[in-house]
Amino acid sequence: MTRSGWSVLANGRARLFSGTDGLYGFDDPTRSPWSGSAGDGYLLIDVASLSGHRVTLPRPIGDHR
């Protein structure tokens, strides 16, 4: 058995937003961010490049997670 996932790297220019005005997709009432604490912000990244690779690790004997 193995455990697997992805390691992803995004490069680009980032900007911090404190509200959702003008952000595409945040105006959908059926969606909401998982954290809704006062003072939360959003990091908007204009992605210039995106890369990644799959990571697979063998499970130690007896690990049934």
Side-chain angles (χ1 to χ4, degrees), residues 6-43:
W6 288 88
S7 174
V8 178
L9 174 65
N11 278 322
R13 183 169 297 272
R15 294 175 280 158
L16 183 62
F17 278 81
S18 59
T20 59
D21 291 342
L23 298 180
Y24 176 76
F26 283 86
D27 55 355
D28 183 347
T30 63
R31 293 181 164 179
S32 63
W34 64 269
S35 174
S37 301
D40 279 356
Y42 300 93
L43 187 61

Side-chain angles (χ1 to χ4, degrees), residues 3 5 7 26 30 33 39 51 53-54:
R3 294 179 282 185
S7 174
F26 283 86
T30 63
S51 64
H53 63 274
R54 187 175 178 93

